[in-house]
Amino acid sequence: MSDAPAPSRMVFHAPYALNRTASSASGIRPVRMRDAFEALGYEVWEVTGTAKERAASAKKLRAAIKDGIQFAFCYSESSTMPTSMTESHHLPLHPLLDHKLLADLREAGIKVGLFYRDIYWAFEGYGTALNPVKRNAALTAYRWDLLAYQRALDVLYLPSMLMAPHVKVGSLEKRALPPGHDMPEIVEGPATGVHLFYVGGLGAHYKLPVLFAAVHQLASEGVDVTLTACASADQWEAEKANYEPYMCDAIRVVHASGPALLPLYAAANASALFIEPNDYRAFASPVKLYEYVGQAKPVLASQGTLAGEFVETNGFGWTIPYTQEAAVETLRDLAEHPEKLRAQHEHLIERREEHSWLQRARTVAADLS
């Protein structure tokens, strides 16, 4: 039975082509949201692809509306790049294409919501490696997006409301729409010991040396604690000098994605987002956190991050100071008391459906229909 009310059509917009083989959060999220709307029973009219493809889809959409075809709402996913620079050449040759379409839909009585992915460009250090002319052009285009949203949107969705003060869009309504998960089933982990799994990036925003150091110390003391870290081969090569002093039999680094992650989840009974806090991490909402929830793997998180606040608020694991001492103490306690891990695991099983992509799509449909 469909969850979608009549009319059961919706518009899904993104200023780029959807990539069903994406391994990064910026590529995964649009596909998952689009499919979640379809799973709810909506007939999804896509306006995605290249500028030429989006222009053709927009023309058909406008013609359909003129012919009296009704749409429940429009949902858009932004790019990490300025909307006008998403072509492969990054030249802003179609600056009005997307914003005008969204504004036209709104004027036609169709509510429009857009998920705004990131505000990293507004922080010091953005584009330091870029040519100054290109950097200034990008900053101007980012600001133009925020200005255009005020006319084109009913709701601006953000990864978390902690990001809201950094997004200057006047009186436009902002709401949180964090990532979700689509884990169909849970793979059980070991019953004893603490076996951590981390999947994601390594680098400026994802620093894990303190976690590696804590596991190394515990392993040297004979405590049953292990860590599997999954990252891209390129990122590991770039960062491994920071981690090699802590490598031991209890730590392994692997490179996998998609279905190949399931055996890694099966080998774990806990997960890790114990990363160094910074201004960006204070409001960034990583997709991997919700995948951990979907797999019911209790999370070790660091204070001073949005992930840590989420874990603490929901009782989904342990949020502790970002120090080796705190990590060692917590992991040692969990290794000695496996019932604590089991209790958190069972709590996550009860709550995991609240954080699915399907539930995120339901939220948008309720907001905009």
Side-chain angles (χ1 to χ4, degrees):
M1 183 176 177
S2 170
D3 285 8
S8 59
R9 298 177 200 87
M10 58 84 62
V11 179
F12 185 94
H13 166 268
Y16 44 80
L18 301 186
N19 178 8
R20 293 193 169 275
T21 62
S23 58
S24 66
S26 59
I28 291 169
R29 181 183 179 114
V31 173
R32 298 293 184 269
M33 285 297 293
R34 181 248 179 261
D35 289 352
F37 287 121
E38 189 169 69
L40 289 179
Y42 287 98
E43 178 186 330
V44 179
W45 285 48
E46 275 193 40
V47 182
T48 62
T50 65
K52 183 178 180 180
E53 290 167 338
R54 298 198 307 277
S57 296
K59 183 178 180 180
K60 291 179 182 177
L61 179 59
R62 288 187 173 99
I65 293 170
K66 188 176 181 180
D67 287 343
I69 295 178
Q70 295 185 320
F71 294 85
F73 59 91
C74 171
Y75 174 79
S76 176
E77 283 268 341
S78 71
S79 170
T80 53
M81 292 179 281
T83 304
S84 59
M85 294 183 171
T86 57
E87 294 292 276
S88 58
H89 50 63
H90 303 309
L91 298 176
L93 302 182
H94 308 278
L96 301 179
L97 171 62
D98 300 280
H99 295 313
K100 187 175 189 311
L101 171 64
L102 299 182
D104 287 350
L105 293 177
R106 191 174 181 225
E107 289 178 9
I110 300 168
K111 284 193 173 183
V112 180
L114 178 141
F115 176 76
Y116 193 62
R117 186 171 313 284
D118 217 326
I119 194 70
Y120 71 102
W121 59 267
F123 284 75
E124 185 178 354
Y126 166 73
T128 52
L130 292 176
N131 175 292
V133 174
K134 291 183 178 180
R135 179 179 182 273
N136 289 332
L139 289 172
T140 298
Y142 278 124
R143 295 186 185 107
W144 158 242
D145 280 344
L146 296 187
L147 185 64
Y149 291 156
Q150 297 176 54
R151 175 172 175 261
L153 306 181
D154 292 283
V155 179
L156 183 71
Y157 291 106
L158 303 173
S160 78
M161 291 307 292
L162 293 176
M163 181 174 160
H166 303 281
V167 185
K168 311 300 183 182
V169 286
S171 60
L172 176 60
E173 182 177 2
K174 304 170 190 172
R175 296 187 183 183
L177 191 72
H181 72 83
D182 61 349
M183 297 292 185
E185 59 185 25
I186 297 167
V187 288
E188 294 288 340
T192 60
V194 182
H195 304 285
L196 294 162
F197 179 50
Y198 170 82
V199 56
L202 291 175
H205 294 311
Y206 296 97
K207 294 182 179 179
L208 300 167
V210 170
L211 178 62
F212 274 59
V215 174
H216 179 272
Q217 178 182 331
L218 288 164
S220 69
E221 297 172 6
V223 181
D224 188 11
V225 175
T226 66
L227 168 65
T228 298
C230 180
S232 73
D234 289 347
Q235 288 186 342
W236 173 243
E237 285 301 314
E239 295 291 329
K240 69 179 182 179
N242 298 318
Y243 296 91
E244 284 182 331
Y246 312 115
M247 295 303 293
C248 60
D249 290 344
I251 299 174
R252 62 171 177 156
V253 175
V254 298
H255 316 299
S257 62
L261 293 176
L262 285 178
L264 301 176
Y265 275 114
N269 57 10
S271 58
L273 264 174
F274 194 65
I275 53 182
E276 182 178 349
N278 58 32
D279 289 343
Y280 177 82
R281 292 262 63 86
F283 58 77
S285 190
V287 168
K288 64 182 70 67
L289 171 59
Y290 296 88
E291 293 179 351
Y292 295 159
V293 170
Q295 274 297 335
K297 304 296 182 182
V299 186
L300 181 71
S302 41
Q303 290 178 355
T305 66
L306 178 62
E309 180 182 320
F310 173 83
V311 168
E312 186 171 30
T313 300
N314 289 280
F316 287 169
W318 301 271
T319 297
I320 61 176
Y322 185 73
T323 66
Q324 183 174 335
E325 292 76 17
V328 166
E329 180 182 353
T330 301
L331 294 172
R332 190 195 308 278
D333 180 62
L334 293 175
E336 293 173 354
H337 301 281
E339 70 278 5
K340 294 183 179 181
L341 267 176
R342 170 54 58 177
Q344 291 283 8
H345 174 65
E346 291 174 355
H347 175 59
L348 278 160
I349 290 174
E350 294 174 357
R351 298 278 307 278
R352 64 191 292 270
E353 290 306 321
E354 298 173 24
H355 300 282
S356 66
W357 286 117
L358 201 64
Q359 189 58 42
R360 302 300 184 234
R362 284 195 184 100
T363 296
V364 171
D367 289 346
L368 301 178
S369 291

